[in-house]
Amino acid sequence: MSSTSNPPAVPPVRVAFASFVGTTIEWYDYILFGTASVLVLNGQFFPTLSPAAGTLASLATFSIAFVARPLGSVLFGHFGDRMSRKKMLIWSLLGMGIATVLVGLLPNYDTIGIAAPLILVILRIVQGVAVGGEWGGAALMALEHAPRRKRAFFASWPQAGVPAGLLLANGAFFLVQSMPEEQFQSWGWRLPFLASAAMIAVGFYVRSKVSESPEFTEMRAAEARRKRQRRVPLLEVLREHKRAVLIGTLSVGVGNTVFYLSTVFMLAHGPQDLGFDRGQILLMLMLAAALDIVSLPLVAMLGDRIGRKRLMQLGAVIGIVIGVPMFALFATGTAWGILLATVLALPIGHAFSSAVLTSFIPGLFQTRVRYTGAGLSYQLSGIVASAPAPFLATWLFESTGNSLAVGAYLSVVAVITLVAVSAAPAKPLDGENIENREVTDEGSRHDEQGRPGSAVPDAVDR
């Protein structure tokens, strides 16, 4: 009997919680670097540049990780699709944690000269590779353990780890930036990076207690029975799933753009161009992130009811609408204006566009290449949407002198996302019965009697 019809060895809640904890820690480390980029790294590692140029240089170092993330998705995805989802998640967690702690220990430019920014870039690349392998694996562990009709909800838990990591990272810097400036610049900024060591230990323990994905285990058993030769997942994705990769990449656009506009651009733009207090912006982002943690799984429950594709379309429409109002509110400079802007951005814009990403994108790929395909799609979006967002927003503001142009930019990205999502299949591929549906070397589907089967399983969009 197929294991998809049997209760999993580990309760889905425990798996989802483990994915949430691990993803929170990984994104704490990852976002910590972005927050530090606009607050302190420019002076520590690029002191010979002007303040504006130093900020751009530190943001460029921050963005390098987006180039490394697809490499991580391919590397971890290859072994995650062929060997183990669980083991790859543990290795990605360790890689991220070690790199983050080393950033906290790294001497600055005044101490070791040009070696300091060079090593910083290398460590940021390691972070990019690690987080590139994290998202796909965490999403699949939660998704493939979940009950069929609650897959969007359970799979949303690792996605909720993103704002949870943001909350912790901004909270850490909110505390240390209140120190006397001399102490903060000298050693205080290092404390949030060093704190990652304890968090990684917790994440390692939690993830080590989770069993392998039942769908993955079932697939491996089916392949062993049929003595099917395993192929290179990346090559199979590029040959047979190019359209799915394109749809998956563009579907992330609005969610990632609104996230990085609010968490990176606003944090730099407010104090530098508008004279806002950085502590106030950090506090408002923390409040909005806390709401986002709750809103993501709640919105995902709606996705289980109306379908993932419809919810993604709704999220894109919301992204089109909120762009200009979000930056108009932020430009007021009032506490309420900044708070409402960050609420529009995170618990509304980000939640509705990202709540079901962790089930929508994996649902575009078959089990045997799902880690590679889903991870690659998400991380490629980092290059085309996330990484350019702070730069394009800065350029638009400098060119027009009006932050409303940045809001219009978000709306354009949302339109592209809406078109991509609308081109996606109506039903997801996750949850297929591997016992009864064989994937041949030519990529076609057959049932037990050898009759051609549907390319998309009969399960409803849940």
Side-chain angles (χ1 to χ4, degrees), residues 61-311:
T61 305
F62 166 75
S63 298
I64 284 175
F66 288 100
V67 180
R69 280 165 58 172
L71 173 61
S73 69
V74 171
L75 176 64
F76 285 90
H78 176 85
F79 293 103
D81 280 327
R82 296 193 59 162
M83 295 174 54
S84 169
R85 315 279 210 226
K86 174 183 174 179
K87 289 180 180 178
M88 292 305 102
L89 279 177
I90 291 176
W91 280 109
S92 71
L93 185 71
L94 292 176
M96 174 64 83
I98 292 171
T100 302
V101 172
L102 289 178
V103 170
L105 297 173
L106 181 62
N108 61 15
Y109 185 92
D110 292 339
T111 304
I112 61 174
I114 192 65
L118 291 178
I119 296 174
L120 184 69
V121 169
I122 293 172
L123 293 176
R124 185 57 177 168
I125 291 173
V126 173
Q127 283 191 325
V129 171
V131 82
E134 161 70 20
W135 186 87
L140 297 195
M141 287 293 283
L143 178 73
E144 294 178 350
H145 277 86
R148 180 70 58 84
R149 294 186 178 273
K150 295 182 179 180
R151 290 201 153 198
F153 170 71
F154 281 101
S156 71
W157 287 31
Q159 192 70 11
V162 178
L166 170 66
L167 176 63
L168 291 178
N170 282 358
F173 262 101
F174 180 79
L175 293 176
V176 298
Q177 65 92 36
S178 62
M179 300 170 61
E181 188 66 18
E182 182 178 353
Q183 294 181 18
F184 173 67
Q185 293 290 339
S186 176
W187 55 269
W189 69 270
R190 299 179 182 274
L191 296 179
F193 289 91
L194 299 177
S196 178
M199 299 175 67
I200 293 298
V202 173
F204 178 84
Y205 173 80
V206 171
R207 282 194 165 168
S208 66
K209 299 300 180 180
V210 174
S211 64
E212 187 59 81
S213 156
E215 279 188 33
F216 177 78
T217 302
E218 179 183 287
M219 180 198 71
R220 291 295 305 273
E223 289 182 335
R225 286 194 301 273
R226 295 165 181 142
K227 298 180 180 180
R228 181 173 179 268
Q229 184 178 1
R230 310 220 66 199
R231 293 180 286 182
V232 178
L234 176 62
L235 297 181
E236 187 170 346
V237 167
L238 295 179
R239 183 172 58 247
E240 301 178 11
H241 300 273
K242 293 187 288 292
R243 184 170 181 268
V245 170
L246 179 61
I247 292 172
T249 299
L250 296 179
S251 69
V252 188
V254 63
N256 279 4
T257 299
V258 72
F259 185 84
Y260 286 102
L261 286 181
S262 59
T263 60
V264 178
F265 172 72
M266 282 185 176
L267 191 56
H269 170 61
Q272 182 173 298
D273 300 320
L274 305 178
F276 299 168
D277 178 67
R278 69 184 181 189
Q280 184 183 53
I281 299 175
L282 280 172
L283 180 60
M284 299 309 174
L285 282 172
M286 289 163 56
L287 292 173
L291 293 174
D292 198 18
I293 296 170
V294 177
S295 63
L296 277 162
L298 291 178
V299 172
M301 293 173 67
L302 176 62
D304 278 322
R305 293 182 63 87
I306 69 173
R308 305 171 204 172
K309 179 176 177 177
R310 289 180 181 175
L311 186 63

Side-chain angles (χ1 to χ4, degrees), residues 384-406:
V384 301
S386 305
F391 285 98
L392 289 175
T394 301
W395 175 78
L396 284 169
F397 178 78
E398 294 294 335
S399 300
T400 65
N402 193 333
S403 59
L404 297 185
V406 181

